[in-house]
Amino acid sequence: QVQLVESGGGLVQAGGSVRLSCAASGRTLSRYVMGWFRQAPGKEREFVASITWSGGTTYYADSVKGRFTISRDNAKSTVYLQMNGLKPEDTAVYYCAARYYNDYNFWGQGTQVTVSS
């Protein structure tokens, strides 16, 4: 079992930066791929970025490439999402998730990020 807790969300002006954190716990974290998703009101949840615990291989949605950076601190079992150049359309609840094989099986509670113009 993997438990995930997000933090770091809040209100930020357009063009600003926010760093989200996801504290993970579990005995076999190295087996999982960690991902960030987001969901805006009235919209479906969408993939943002992912990273592997072992090799640190990253993958990004086209909408955030060049602006967002996902990273991890294995010693702290924490995954980060550095969000720069924020836009109002980035406003959403951001979720941390863990995937084993095909599906993201574990999810955090989410943290709200609101970008004002």
Side-chain angles (χ1 to χ4, degrees), residues 15-65:
S17 299
V18 169
R19 190 190 198 192
L20 304 182
S21 298
C22 174
S25 62
R27 295 184 62 84
T28 57
L29 290 178
S30 62
R31 299 186 180 197
Y32 293 85
V33 175
M34 304 299 297
W36 285 99
F37 290 74
R38 65 186 182 185
Q39 186 171 26
K43 295 185 177 180
E44 295 184 352
R45 189 171 299 180
E46 65 175 345
F47 170 81
V48 175
S50 66
I51 189 169
T52 60
W53 281 110
S54 57
T57 302
T58 60
Y59 185 80
Y60 297 92
D62 289 340
S63 60
V64 304
K65 285 182 178 178

Side-chain angles (χ1 to χ4, degrees), residues 43-108:
K43 295 185 177 180
E44 295 184 352
R45 189 171 299 180
E46 65 175 345
F47 170 81
V48 175
S50 66
I51 189 169
T52 60
W53 281 110
S54 57
T57 302
T58 60
Y59 185 80
Y60 297 92
D62 289 340
S63 60
V64 304
K65 285 182 178 178
R67 298 190 299 122
F68 292 7
T69 302
I70 187 171
S71 62
R72 83 275 193 263
D73 186 332
N74 289 24
K76 296 181 178 180
S77 297
T78 301
V79 177
Y80 305 95
L81 184 66
Q82 179 67 47
M83 304 188 293
N84 299 325
L86 285 165
K87 306 174 181 179
E89 51 263 43
D90 294 319
T91 296
V93 176
Y94 284 73
Y95 296 90
C96 181
R99 172 171 64 85
Y100 179 72
Y101 196 49
N102 290 326
D103 302 319
Y104 282 91
N105 308 107
F106 303 96
W107 297 83

